PDB file of all heavy atoms in Angstrom:
ATOM      1  N   ALA A   1       0.829  -1.211   0.000  1.00 98.00           N
ATOM      2  CA  ALA A   1       0.000   0.000   0.000  1.00 98.00           C
ATOM      3  C   ALA A   1       0.859   1.255   0.000  1.00 98.00           C
ATOM      4  O   ALA A   1       0.539   2.248  -0.668  1.00 98.00           O
ATOM      5  CB  ALA A   1      -0.930  -0.008   1.215  1.00 98.00           C
ATOM      6  N   ALA A   2       1.977   1.209   0.719  1.00 97.00           N
ATOM      7  CA  ALA A   2       2.872   2.366   0.781  1.00 97.00           C
ATOM      8  C   ALA A   2       3.474   2.669  -0.585  1.00 97.00           C
ATOM      9  O   ALA A   2       3.576   3.832  -0.995  1.00 97.00           O
ATOM     10  CB  ALA A   2       3.979   2.114   1.801  1.00 97.00           C
ATOM     11  N   GLY A   3       3.893   1.629  -1.315  1.00 97.00           N
ATOM     12  CA  GLY A   3       4.460   1.844  -2.643  1.00 97.00           C
ATOM     13  C   GLY A   3       3.459   2.474  -3.589  1.00 97.00           C
ATOM     14  O   GLY A   3       3.796   3.392  -4.354  1.00 97.00           O
ATOM     15  N   SER A   4       2.232   1.991  -3.543  1.00 97.00           N
ATOM     16  CA  SER A   4       1.182   2.535  -4.400  1.00 97.00           C
ATOM     17  C   SER A   4       0.883   3.990  -4.048  1.00 97.00           C
ATOM     18  O   SER A   4       0.827   4.866  -4.919  1.00 97.00           O
ATOM     19  CB  SER A   4      -0.084   1.686  -4.263  1.00 97.00           C
ATOM     20  OG  SER A   4      -1.158   2.250  -4.988  1.00 97.00           O
ATOM     21  N   ASP A   5       0.696   4.262  -2.754  1.00 97.00           N
ATOM     22  CA  ASP A   5       0.359   5.622  -2.321  1.00 97.00           C
ATOM     23  C   ASP A   5       1.486   6.608  -2.598  1.00 97.00           C
ATOM     24  O   ASP A   5       1.252   7.752  -3.007  1.00 97.00           O
ATOM     25  CB  ASP A   5       0.029   5.627  -0.824  1.00 97.00           C
ATOM     26  CG  ASP A   5      -1.257   4.892  -0.494  1.00 97.00           C
ATOM     27  OD1 ASP A   5      -2.026   4.594  -1.437  1.00 97.00           O
ATOM     28  OD2 ASP A   5      -1.494   4.600   0.697  1.00 97.00           O
ATOM     29  N   ALA A   6       2.721   6.179  -2.363  1.00 97.00           N
ATOM     30  CA  ALA A   6       3.862   7.078  -2.568  1.00 97.00           C
ATOM     31  C   ALA A   6       4.000   7.461  -4.041  1.00 97.00           C
ATOM     32  O   ALA A   6       4.348   8.605  -4.360  1.00 97.00           O
ATOM     33  CB  ALA A   6       5.153   6.432  -2.058  1.00 97.00           C
ATOM     34  N   LEU A   7       3.716   6.531  -4.945  1.00 97.00           N
ATOM     35  CA  LEU A   7       3.819   6.852  -6.371  1.00 97.00           C
ATOM     36  C   LEU A   7       2.685   7.771  -6.804  1.00 97.00           C
ATOM     37  O   LEU A   7       2.923   8.784  -7.476  1.00 97.00           O
ATOM     38  CB  LEU A   7       3.813   5.580  -7.211  1.00 97.00           C
ATOM     39  CG  LEU A   7       3.932   5.819  -8.725  1.00 97.00           C
ATOM     40  CD1 LEU A   7       5.244   6.517  -9.070  1.00 97.00           C
ATOM     41  CD2 LEU A   7       3.816   4.507  -9.494  1.00 97.00           C
ATOM     42  N   GLN A   8       1.460   7.443  -6.415  1.00 94.00           N
ATOM     43  CA  GLN A   8       0.326   8.228  -6.912  1.00 94.00           C
ATOM     44  C   GLN A   8       0.321   9.653  -6.376  1.00 94.00           C
ATOM     45  O   GLN A   8      -0.241  10.555  -7.001  1.00 94.00           O
ATOM     46  CB  GLN A   8      -1.002   7.542  -6.593  1.00 94.00           C
ATOM     47  CG  GLN A   8      -1.381   7.537  -5.126  1.00 94.00           C
ATOM     48  CD  GLN A   8      -2.764   6.949  -4.900  1.00 94.00           C
ATOM     49  OE1 GLN A   8      -3.673   7.639  -4.457  1.00 94.00           O
ATOM     50  NE2 GLN A   8      -2.911   5.677  -5.213  1.00 94.00           N
ATOM     51  N   THR A   9       0.975   9.909  -5.235  1.00 94.00           N
ATOM     52  CA  THR A   9       1.023  11.262  -4.687  1.00 94.00           C
ATOM     53  C   THR A   9       2.311  11.997  -5.047  1.00 94.00           C
ATOM     54  O   THR A   9       2.488  13.156  -4.655  1.00 94.00           O
ATOM     55  CB  THR A   9       0.877  11.232  -3.153  1.00 94.00           C
ATOM     56  OG1 THR A   9       1.905  10.404  -2.588  1.00 94.00           O
ATOM     57  CG2 THR A   9      -0.475  10.691  -2.742  1.00 94.00           C
ATOM     58  N   ASN A  10       3.211  11.355  -5.790  1.00 96.00           N
ATOM     59  CA  ASN A  10       4.479  11.977  -6.136  1.00 96.00           C
ATOM     60  C   ASN A  10       4.262  13.041  -7.219  1.00 96.00           C
ATOM     61  O   ASN A  10       3.739  12.758  -8.298  1.00 96.00           O
ATOM     62  CB  ASN A  10       5.461  10.915  -6.629  1.00 96.00           C
ATOM     63  CG  ASN A  10       6.828  11.487  -6.923  1.00 96.00           C
ATOM     64  OD1 ASN A  10       7.089  11.976  -8.011  1.00 96.00           O
ATOM     65  ND2 ASN A  10       7.714  11.422  -5.944  1.00 96.00           N
ATOM     66  N   ALA A  11       4.677  14.271  -6.945  1.00 96.00           N
ATOM     67  CA  ALA A  11       4.410  15.394  -7.839  1.00 96.00           C
ATOM     68  C   ALA A  11       5.100  15.218  -9.192  1.00 96.00           C
ATOM     69  O   ALA A  11       4.536  15.573 -10.237  1.00 96.00           O
ATOM     70  CB  ALA A  11       4.855  16.698  -7.182  1.00 96.00           C
ATOM     71  N   ILE A  12       6.321  14.681  -9.193  1.00 96.00           N
ATOM     72  CA  ILE A  12       7.054  14.509 -10.451  1.00 96.00           C
ATOM     73  C   ILE A  12       6.359  13.480 -11.332  1.00 96.00           C
ATOM     74  O   ILE A  12       6.207  13.669 -12.548  1.00 96.00           O
ATOM     75  CB  ILE A  12       8.508  14.098 -10.171  1.00 96.00           C
ATOM     76  CG1 ILE A  12       9.249  15.221  -9.450  1.00 96.00           C
ATOM     77  CG2 ILE A  12       9.238  13.724 -11.467  1.00 96.00           C
ATOM     78  CD1 ILE A  12      10.637  14.845  -8.979  1.00 96.00           C
ATOM     79  N   TYR A  13       5.894  12.394 -10.713  1.00 96.00           N
ATOM     80  CA  TYR A  13       5.183  11.369 -11.474  1.00 96.00           C
ATOM     81  C   TYR A  13       3.862  11.908 -12.013  1.00 96.00           C
ATOM     82  O   TYR A  13       3.520  11.689 -13.185  1.00 96.00           O
ATOM     83  CB  TYR A  13       4.941  10.152 -10.583  1.00 96.00           C
ATOM     84  CG  TYR A  13       4.127   9.055 -11.236  1.00 96.00           C
ATOM     85  CD1 TYR A  13       4.623   8.347 -12.330  1.00 96.00           C
ATOM     86  CD2 TYR A  13       2.862   8.720 -10.760  1.00 96.00           C
ATOM     87  CE1 TYR A  13       3.879   7.339 -12.928  1.00 96.00           C
ATOM     88  CE2 TYR A  13       2.120   7.709 -11.348  1.00 96.00           C
ATOM     89  CZ  TYR A  13       2.628   7.023 -12.439  1.00 96.00           C
ATOM     90  OH  TYR A  13       1.891   6.029 -13.027  1.00 96.00           O
ATOM     91  N   ARG A  14       3.113  12.642 -11.199  1.00 94.00           N
ATOM     92  CA  ARG A  14       1.832  13.189 -11.652  1.00 94.00           C
ATOM     93  C   ARG A  14       2.041  14.149 -12.823  1.00 94.00           C
ATOM     94  O   ARG A  14       1.277  14.151 -13.785  1.00 94.00           O
ATOM     95  CB  ARG A  14       1.117  13.899 -10.500  1.00 94.00           C
ATOM     96  CG  ARG A  14       0.688  12.986  -9.368  1.00 94.00           C
ATOM     97  CD  ARG A  14      -0.453  13.587  -8.561  1.00 94.00           C
ATOM     98  NE  ARG A  14      -0.220  14.981  -8.204  1.00 94.00           N
ATOM     99  CZ  ARG A  14       0.410  15.384  -7.110  1.00 94.00           C
ATOM    100  NH1 ARG A  14       0.898  14.475  -6.270  1.00 94.00           N
ATOM    101  NH2 ARG A  14       0.551  16.662  -6.851  1.00 94.00           N
ATOM    102  N   GLU A  15       3.072  14.971 -12.740  1.00 94.00           N
ATOM    103  CA  GLU A  15       3.364  15.907 -13.829  1.00 94.00           C
ATOM    104  C   GLU A  15       3.716  15.150 -15.108  1.00 94.00           C
ATOM    105  O   GLU A  15       3.269  15.522 -16.208  1.00 94.00           O
ATOM    106  CB  GLU A  15       4.523  16.817 -13.434  1.00 94.00           C
ATOM    107  CG  GLU A  15       4.915  17.818 -14.516  1.00 94.00           C
ATOM    108  CD  GLU A  15       6.140  18.633 -14.141  1.00 94.00           C
ATOM    109  OE1 GLU A  15       6.650  18.474 -13.011  1.00 94.00           O
ATOM    110  OE2 GLU A  15       6.607  19.423 -14.990  1.00 94.00           O
ATOM    111  N   PHE A  16       4.481  14.080 -14.969  1.00 94.00           N
ATOM    112  CA  PHE A  16       4.848  13.284 -16.142  1.00 94.00           C
ATOM    113  C   PHE A  16       3.611  12.672 -16.790  1.00 94.00           C
ATOM    114  O   PHE A  16       3.437  12.745 -18.011  1.00 94.00           O
ATOM    115  CB  PHE A  16       5.828  12.190 -15.727  1.00 94.00           C
ATOM    116  CG  PHE A  16       6.142  11.208 -16.816  1.00 94.00           C
ATOM    117  CD1 PHE A  16       7.078  11.506 -17.798  1.00 94.00           C
ATOM    118  CD2 PHE A  16       5.495   9.977 -16.874  1.00 94.00           C
ATOM    119  CE1 PHE A  16       7.358  10.601 -18.816  1.00 94.00           C
ATOM    120  CE2 PHE A  16       5.766   9.067 -17.884  1.00 94.00           C
ATOM    121  CZ  PHE A  16       6.705   9.387 -18.857  1.00 94.00           C
ATOM    122  N   VAL A  17       2.760  12.053 -15.981  1.00 93.00           N
ATOM    123  CA  VAL A  17       1.564  11.402 -16.528  1.00 93.00           C
ATOM    124  C   VAL A  17       0.670  12.421 -17.231  1.00 93.00           C
ATOM    125  O   VAL A  17       0.148  12.171 -18.328  1.00 93.00           O
ATOM    126  CB  VAL A  17       0.797  10.670 -15.413  1.00 93.00           C
ATOM    127  CG1 VAL A  17      -0.537  10.147 -15.931  1.00 93.00           C
ATOM    128  CG2 VAL A  17       1.629   9.513 -14.860  1.00 93.00           C
ATOM    129  N   THR A  18       0.501  13.592 -16.628  1.00 92.00           N
ATOM    130  CA  THR A  18      -0.315  14.634 -17.248  1.00 92.00           C
ATOM    131  C   THR A  18       0.274  15.085 -18.574  1.00 92.00           C
ATOM    132  O   THR A  18      -0.446  15.315 -19.554  1.00 92.00           O
ATOM    133  CB  THR A  18      -0.439  15.838 -16.300  1.00 92.00           C
ATOM    134  OG1 THR A  18      -1.046  15.421 -15.078  1.00 92.00           O
ATOM    135  CG2 THR A  18      -1.289  16.934 -16.929  1.00 92.00           C
ATOM    136  N   SER A  19       1.605  15.185 -18.641  1.00 89.00           N
ATOM    137  CA  SER A  19       2.271  15.676 -19.856  1.00 89.00           C
ATOM    138  C   SER A  19       2.146  14.706 -21.020  1.00 89.00           C
ATOM    139  O   SER A  19       2.334  15.111 -22.176  1.00 89.00           O
ATOM    140  CB  SER A  19       3.752  15.947 -19.573  1.00 89.00           C
ATOM    141  OG  SER A  19       4.481  14.739 -19.436  1.00 89.00           O
ATOM    142  N   VAL A  20       1.836  13.438 -20.744  1.00 87.00           N
ATOM    143  CA  VAL A  20       1.706  12.462 -21.829  1.00 87.00           C
ATOM    144  C   VAL A  20       0.252  12.067 -22.059  1.00 87.00           C
ATOM    145  O   VAL A  20      -0.030  11.055 -22.698  1.00 87.00           O
ATOM    146  CB  VAL A  20       2.571  11.206 -21.563  1.00 87.00           C
ATOM    147  CG1 VAL A  20       4.036  11.581 -21.536  1.00 87.00           C
ATOM    148  CG2 VAL A  20       2.179  10.500 -20.262  1.00 87.00           C
ATOM    149  N   GLY A  21      -0.672  12.860 -21.491  1.00 81.00           N
ATOM    150  CA  GLY A  21      -2.078  12.665 -21.811  1.00 81.00           C
ATOM    151  C   GLY A  21      -2.858  11.789 -20.867  1.00 81.00           C
ATOM    152  O   GLY A  21      -3.962  11.349 -21.189  1.00 81.00           O
ATOM    153  N   GLY A  22      -2.338  11.519 -19.675  1.00 71.00           N
ATOM    154  CA  GLY A  22      -3.082  10.746 -18.687  1.00 71.00           C
ATOM    155  C   GLY A  22      -3.286  11.580 -17.448  1.00 71.00           C
ATOM    156  O   GLY A  22      -3.033  12.781 -17.436  1.00 71.00           O
ATOM    157  N   GLY A  23      -3.807  10.938 -16.400  1.00 62.00           N
ATOM    158  CA  GLY A  23      -3.732  11.592 -15.109  1.00 62.00           C
ATOM    159  C   GLY A  23      -5.003  12.000 -14.423  1.00 62.00           C
ATOM    160  O   GLY A  23      -4.967  12.331 -13.242  1.00 62.00           O
ATOM    161  N   SER A  24      -6.174  12.030 -15.095  1.00 53.00           N
ATOM    162  CA  SER A  24      -7.369  12.509 -14.403  1.00 53.00           C
ATOM    163  C   SER A  24      -7.730  11.599 -13.234  1.00 53.00           C
ATOM    164  O   SER A  24      -7.985  12.067 -12.124  1.00 53.00           O
ATOM    165  CB  SER A  24      -8.543  12.604 -15.394  1.00 53.00           C
ATOM    166  OG  SER A  24      -8.770  11.350 -16.014  1.00 53.00           O
ATOM    167  N   ARG A  25      -7.752  10.290 -13.469  1.00 57.00           N
ATOM    168  CA  ARG A  25      -8.057   9.367 -12.380  1.00 57.00           C
ATOM    169  C   ARG A  25      -6.922   9.331 -11.363  1.00 57.00           C
ATOM    170  O   ARG A  25      -7.149   9.167 -10.166  1.00 57.00           O
ATOM    171  CB  ARG A  25      -8.308   7.972 -12.938  1.00 57.00           C
ATOM    172  CG  ARG A  25      -9.551   7.882 -13.812  1.00 57.00           C
ATOM    173  CD  ARG A  25      -9.790   6.461 -14.313  1.00 57.00           C
ATOM    174  NE  ARG A  25     -10.948   6.389 -15.180  1.00 57.00           N
ATOM    175  CZ  ARG A  25     -11.375   5.274 -15.753  1.00 57.00           C
ATOM    176  NH1 ARG A  25     -10.724   4.142 -15.566  1.00 57.00           N
ATOM    177  NH2 ARG A  25     -12.436   5.301 -16.533  1.00 57.00           N
ATOM    178  N   LEU A  26      -5.689   9.487 -11.860  1.00 58.00           N
ATOM    179  CA  LEU A  26      -4.544   9.522 -10.958  1.00 58.00           C
ATOM    180  C   LEU A  26      -4.677  10.680  -9.986  1.00 58.00           C
ATOM    181  O   LEU A  26      -4.458  10.538  -8.790  1.00 58.00           O
ATOM    182  CB  LEU A  26      -3.257   9.655 -11.762  1.00 58.00           C
ATOM    183  CG  LEU A  26      -1.965   9.843 -10.957  1.00 58.00           C
ATOM    184  CD1 LEU A  26      -1.648   8.575 -10.174  1.00 58.00           C
ATOM    185  CD2 LEU A  26      -0.804  10.208 -11.872  1.00 58.00           C
ATOM    186  N   GLN A  27      -5.060  11.873 -10.483  1.00 53.00           N
ATOM    187  CA  GLN A  27      -5.204  13.039  -9.624  1.00 53.00           C
ATOM    188  C   GLN A  27      -6.294  12.804  -8.585  1.00 53.00           C
ATOM    189  O   GLN A  27      -6.143  13.187  -7.421  1.00 53.00           O
ATOM    190  CB  GLN A  27      -5.561  14.269 -10.482  1.00 53.00           C
ATOM    191  CG  GLN A  27      -4.498  14.656 -11.493  1.00 53.00           C
ATOM    192  CD  GLN A  27      -3.318  15.369 -10.848  1.00 53.00           C
ATOM    193  OE1 GLN A  27      -3.293  15.561  -9.635  1.00 53.00           O
ATOM    194  NE2 GLN A  27      -2.341  15.734 -11.651  1.00 53.00           N
ATOM    195  N   ALA A  28      -7.394  12.163  -8.998  1.00 51.00           N
ATOM    196  CA  ALA A  28      -8.485  11.898  -8.064  1.00 51.00           C
ATOM    197  C   ALA A  28      -8.044  10.940  -6.963  1.00 51.00           C
ATOM    198  O   ALA A  28      -8.332  11.150  -5.782  1.00 51.00           O
ATOM    199  CB  ALA A  28      -9.694  11.335  -8.818  1.00 51.00           C
ATOM    200  N   ARG A  29      -7.332   9.878  -7.344  1.00 56.00           N
ATOM    201  CA  ARG A  29      -6.861   8.918  -6.337  1.00 56.00           C
ATOM    202  C   ARG A  29      -5.853   9.561  -5.406  1.00 56.00           C
ATOM    203  O   ARG A  29      -5.842   9.302  -4.204  1.00 56.00           O
ATOM    204  CB  ARG A  29      -6.229   7.702  -7.017  1.00 56.00           C
ATOM    205  CG  ARG A  29      -7.215   6.797  -7.702  1.00 56.00           C
ATOM    206  CD  ARG A  29      -6.641   5.396  -7.901  1.00 56.00           C
ATOM    207  NE  ARG A  29      -5.338   5.430  -8.521  1.00 56.00           N
ATOM    208  CZ  ARG A  29      -5.122   5.502  -9.830  1.00 56.00           C
ATOM    209  NH1 ARG A  29      -6.147   5.584 -10.655  1.00 56.00           N
ATOM    210  NH2 ARG A  29      -3.895   5.503 -10.326  1.00 56.00           N
ATOM    211  N   ALA A  30      -4.955  10.397  -5.965  1.00 54.00           N
ATOM    212  CA  ALA A  30      -3.954  11.060  -5.135  1.00 54.00           C
ATOM    213  C   ALA A  30      -4.621  11.973  -4.121  1.00 54.00           C
ATOM    214  O   ALA A  30      -4.226  12.032  -2.952  1.00 54.00           O
ATOM    215  CB  ALA A  30      -2.994  11.851  -6.023  1.00 54.00           C
ATOM    216  N   GLY A  31      -5.678  12.699  -4.556  1.00 54.00           N
ATOM    217  CA  GLY A  31      -6.393  13.566  -3.625  1.00 54.00           C
ATOM    218  C   GLY A  31      -7.055  12.774  -2.513  1.00 54.00           C
ATOM    219  O   GLY A  31      -7.025  13.162  -1.343  1.00 54.00           O
TER     220      GLY A  31
END
């Protein structure tokens, strides 16, 4: 659970996913 949560809340990863056209569900889960 820690590995999953740490990745989904990581700002660098979220920015990368958004820049390649993903991320809406990722942002919701991170919130």
Side-chain angles (χ1 to χ4, degrees):
S4 175
D5 292 347
L7 181 61
Q8 70 175 244
T9 57
N10 184 274
I12 295 173
Y13 176 66
R14 294 203 313 271
E15 179 185 356
F16 173 81
V17 173
T18 300
S19 73
V20 296
S24 57
R25 294 182 182 180
L26 174 68
Q27 297 284 1
R29 289 201 309 276

